[in-house]
Amino acid sequence: MNIAFKKTMPFALAAAIAVSGGSLALVPGTAMADTQGSTVLSLRAVDNPFNAGADQRFTINEGENLTLSGDITGGFGDVTYRWYVSSDGGKHWDLVEEAHGTSLDLKNMKVGEYIYRLVASDMYSNTAHQDFYVTVKGNGIADSVAEAVSNAVKTGDSLPIAGIAGIAVVAAGAAGVAAKKRREGKEDAR
């Protein structure tokens, strides 16, 4: 019996063809065989063809720049990359416009907690993603006070009066130094 087998298989399937006592293993993709005798075709599911790196965590200061580089590899055919960002812990995601590669440049970052997600998709709609957790810390006393109050509210702890008074003294001292420098500058100008 002369059997001609010519079939395009989706990448999500792997095939082994038994040919007259032997077998011919075919890799995912386009499979073609021309055999004589009995032919057995068996299919099995193949895991997602992507390998994604581990999630990463970064902490930077307000106004700094950061470049995120993903390490998602694999996929079949043309692979596309898209970046998304969430500022609410992953409940809502926004597409980062004009970001289509494995790297993303972040400029002049604002205070907050962000999750950036790199999503890779191949020609068969297999996908993989990698997350980047970015904490942007503020500079200055006001940010420290706001963070202390926020943490106390979250945990139910109370703020010690001495701590609040200490912060107020430091803030008043800084304001006094600034006022003194302004006065000195005016006197020099006379």
Side-chain angles (χ1 to χ4, degrees), residues 83-106:
W83 286 89
Y84 297 86
V85 62
S86 174
S87 59
D88 62 3
K91 294 177 186 165
H92 300 94
W93 294 92
D94 294 315
L95 178 66
V96 178
E97 296 295 330
E98 304 303 319
H100 303 288
T102 57
S103 293
L104 176 65
D105 290 325
L106 304 173

Side-chain angles (χ1 to χ4, degrees), residues 18 20 66 77 100 105-106 109 114 150 152 172 182:
S20 302
L66 178 65
H100 303 288
D105 290 325
L106 304 173
M109 294 293 294
Y114 305 95
S150 175
R182 283 193 303 272

